[in-house]
Every structure is written in structure tokens, then in C-alpha cells.
Amino acid sequence: MSAVIAGLAGLICGVLSGLGVGGGTLLMVWMTAVMGIAQKSAQGINLLFFLPTAACALVFHIKNRLIRPRIVLPAILAGCVCAAGAAALAAAMDTGALRRLFGGFLIVVGLRELVAAQRDRKAR
């Protein structure tokens, strides 16, 4: 039964990833909060989830000419450097501190989205 639930979570998060919404972030929440997987393990699983889902979505974005090489190439280089540093930092951090940082990140993003939705509603 857990394989079916994991498949459903992958399905939902894959759809969200394809839409560019951040399905990986929701997958992290599901793995840590619902499945009780340790934060560091969930991060590794999330990275493996991200690679094929991003590759699939990328095919369609390239086909629709939505990729701008002059913008994306510097972002890729900077992202790789920072990801390596952040992964090393995360591996050295206490799991509890890592969870609190991730939870704080989710709260900040959620509040930002609520404020943006209110602003958009008032602008109409």
C-alpha cells in the first residue's frame, strides 16, 4: 500500500513540477511530515525525483522555445556552485536545525503568496 501512496505522491508532484510550481518542495513536505523520512534522506530522494521530472518538462519547454540560453547558462553555473556549497553545509548541519530552516522557508513562501494573492485581488 505504501508503494501506491508513494506513486500517487509522485504523480501529483510530477504534475506540479511539469507546471513549474515546485512539486519537489511538496514532495519534501510529504516525505518528512507524512512519511516520517529524515530531512537529509528526503533531500537526497527529492534530488533524484527532480532530475527525470525536470528533464521531461525541459523537453516541452525547449520545444515551445521558452528557454533563453543567455539567461539560463549563467544561472546554471551559479546554481551548481551554490548547490555544491549548500549540500556540504546541509550534510554538516544538525537535522533539527535543517528542519526548522526548511519549515521557515515554507512559511515565508506561503506568506508571500498570500500577500501577492491579496494584492492581485485588490488590483482587479
Side-chain angles (χ1 to χ4, degrees):
M1 185 61 168
S2 65
V4 172
I5 294 170
L8 287 172
L11 176 75
I12 292 166
C13 292
V15 168
L16 293 172
S17 291
L19 295 173
V21 175
T25 302
L26 295 176
L27 184 65
M28 286 287 297
V29 172
W30 176 74
M31 287 189 291
T32 56
V34 177
M35 298 302 294
I37 296 173
Q39 181 81 21
K40 290 179 183 180
S41 293
Q43 285 174 284
I45 293 167
N46 186 42
L47 291 172
L48 285 174
F49 169 84
F50 176 76
L51 291 174
T53 58
C56 290
L58 183 59
V59 169
F60 291 95
H61 283 25
I62 289 172
K63 179 183 167 193
N64 293 322
R65 299 175 189 227
L66 298 172
I67 305 299
R68 297 182 184 169
R70 288 185 184 201
I71 295 171
V72 76
L73 292 177
I76 288 171
L77 292 174
C80 287
V81 170
C82 291
L89 179 64
M93 286 180 70
D94 173 59
T95 301
L98 199 55
R99 282 190 126 165
R100 287 188 295 279
L101 282 172
F102 183 67
F105 167 76
L106 291 177
I107 290 169
V108 168
V109 170
L111 289 173
R112 186 170 181 259
E113 289 299 313
L114 287 172
V115 168
Q118 288 290 340
R119 196 173 348 154
D120 291 347
R121 205 173 299 135
K122 287 180 182 178
R124 288 186 215 165

